[in-house]
Amino acid sequence: MTQSVNLTLEDNIAVIEIANPPVNALSHAVRSGLQDAFRGIAENDAIKAIVVYGAGRTFVAGADIREFGQPPKEPFLPELINEIESCTRPVIASVHGTVLGGGLELALGAHYRIAAPKTKLGLPEVSLGLLPGAGGTQRLPRLVPVTKAIDMITSGKPVSANEALELGLIDQISGEDDMRAAGLAYAKALVKQGAGPRPVSGLPCNTPEDGLFDKARATLAKKARGQLASQKCIDAIEGAVNLPFAEGLAQERALFRALMDSDQRAALIHAFFSERQVGKLPEIKDVEPRILENVGIIGGGTMGSGIATSALLAGLTVTLIERDAEAVAKAEGTVSKNLAGAVKRGKLSQEKFDAIMAGHFKAGSDYDALAEADLVIEAVFESMDVKKEVFGKLDKICKPGAVLASNTSYLDVDEIAEITSRPADVIGLHFFSPAHVMRLLEIVVGAKTAPDVVATGFALAKRLGKIGVRAGVCDGFIGNRILATYRKAIDGAVLAGASPFDVDRALVDFGLAMGPFAVSDLAGLDIGYMTRQRLAATRDPREVYAEFSDKLCEDGHHGRKTGRGFYDYSGEQPVPNDDILGYISEERAAKGIESRSLSDQEIIDRYMAAMVNEAALVVEEGIAQRPLDVDVTLLNGYGFPRWRGGPMQYADTVGVDKILNDIKRFAEEDDFLWQPAPLLEKLAAEGKTFASLNA
Ligand code: 3HC
Ligand code: NAI
């Protein structure tokens, strides 16, 4: 036995506690401990039943992901679960918390399952690029309808204890949260009834409706475009229906192993750990964040009302300031509509909605209302003059110790801070639109920002259910700065001969949720236009500046909001706006560019090389602390495909030297845009990866 598995005996019932904090993952020590425990029990005829439960906040949340990628060590989980299932006395899994992946598979290997009322049960392996590899795809459809098994396994979403009971996935919901006691009581009742082992593998598999697997494959081809694991999940579940248990299990194992070796698995696990690593910074280790209850927001437009919604949903009190009564009413309307949407989707109760509208949310135009705010987030127009005026007022009104934040997308947070008498309290909190939906929060740390203000930024992200990424001050911080560069690269691809529609299609095929030109239409073409205008005076004359987007904007086409941009939105579905091709050919002629055809691969290579190169600069300059901060930013704010792990992970996968060679190749056409970042050259020369800089 190991310390992470403890066996005790009570009234001839063996009680096995799994104690491997924080989430009782099935590490080698836990697997060995469980095997030892069950082997001991096999030799003790006095034992009438066995209860397995988890110590601490949860039962088992899965296999130990940290062991993935290392040589597997015996006992392997599928065999261990088979061994548990073959126990000659009833085995009861008494579960609580998050019963996930290998944890649910372990529970499925038990003969009876009892769960605490708030338990969540699921098989989330697909979100790590895997499939349940310890019998989950074989046992689940023997208990629940095949269509539900497909849904659970391919979505990775957990079900509640109530739903699990209705489905037959568990046998009982316990009346108490002490799962040792609940398991023991259930075991005693079973022994009293004379109940014996009830292995799920011995049950017939449920019968699917005709055509179910083909339908599921077709749906997933669209919904989980490009992803290997979801299709393989279907293959494995089909095996449960068509093959004897042992053969189905062997097939599941083979499919699992193949996925374990895939780049997608490596990328998704990189994303999982990076998102947990991103807030761990020496700068805020052991630093207490400031109190955060009353939030002030200035500006109730697109961003301000979204930020207010997000804060209110997290239970914070919000005071929103707008310019005049009309703007106040508009902002109130937007926030209330957003919250009503949350009620509709079951994310907020009607009672909480009523309480928010009755007292937790106030809007007005008097800045004095911010005197007691713990944190004020400014989301007014993107103009340095307007922002300075606002921060000047805040400096006079806000209480000492209040955190003063700007949601600026690009502007210099240090310059804003200097207008106040308290630059240590000033920080950038860059939300993404829609702010109550998007998970990313760039926490922009100025030269004088105090560590507890940085810690407060991260505490806010956590409270709002967002992922905070630390960024340094520069034009556009991490995300928008990289975006500006890869936009130049694809504008260059268009000038060279691709159409914006070719670019969008190639990049959607690569895995982006939307093509970059379609995204510009959605954001509003005027936004990028204003940024380019702001930077026009400082633009390097060597830059090959693409003008077609500006032309479109100057002709009054701002994208979706005007019904026309790169696409035409007047019909049911957006269609390409072919007028843009006219602007582009005129520009090519004026610049003396002879149009050529670009393959989809070249479009992708240009896009990725520009992204990785700028990201390397961002890391080198300390704007991002580590490559993983860039990956988390692009994954959560810019629609980069999660199964590719982010641009730095992508570069490591295809090879840093390949990216460098691409840059050199493209530099033959434009040696101003395509200048290799010194860090990229260094890594390529040393044969190192970006991941090597994450430690
Ligand atoms: N293995 C190893 N470590 C894990 C882990 C796992 N399965 N799950 C979580 N952890 C670690 C996290 O990395 C984190 O470590 P840190 O404190 O050093 O950063 C710590 O546990 C706490 O995790 P969270 O910060 O995510 O805590 P939350 O309370 O927010 O969430 C959770 C808990 C819901 C369990 C969440 O961590 C989670 O979703 N974990 C992954 C679950 C999963 O995917 N399981 C399937 C694994 S694959 C599998 O089982 C294969 C099998 O079929 C053979
Ligand atoms: P918006 O134009 O929708 O809203 C700005 C609001 O600020 C308006 O309602 C205006 O009435 C109000 N306002 C202006 N001056 C004010 C003042 N002195 N006092 C009180 N209210 C004032 O603009 P949006 O899109 O919400 O952007 C706001 C900020 O957020 C900008 O800095 C922008 O760069 C940034 N941002 C925008 C994103 C987007 O996608 N729209 C994403 C992330 C950041």
Side-chain angles (χ1 to χ4, degrees), residues 22-23 57 61 63-66 102 105 124-125 128 132-133 276 280:
V23 297
R57 68 186 202 195
D64 189 337
I65 305 173
R66 288 181 201 279
E105 292 175 299
E125 286 87 344
L128 300 176
R276 281 156 183 80
K280 290 181 185 145

Side-chain angles (χ1 to χ4, degrees), residues 18 94 152 261 327 340 378 396 430 513 517 555 574 654 674 680:
I18 302 175
S94 184
M152 281 179 72
D261 290 339
E378 162 280 309
K396 292 203 182 76
H430 181 217
F517 291 103
D555 283 356
V654 299
W674 297 102
L680 190 72

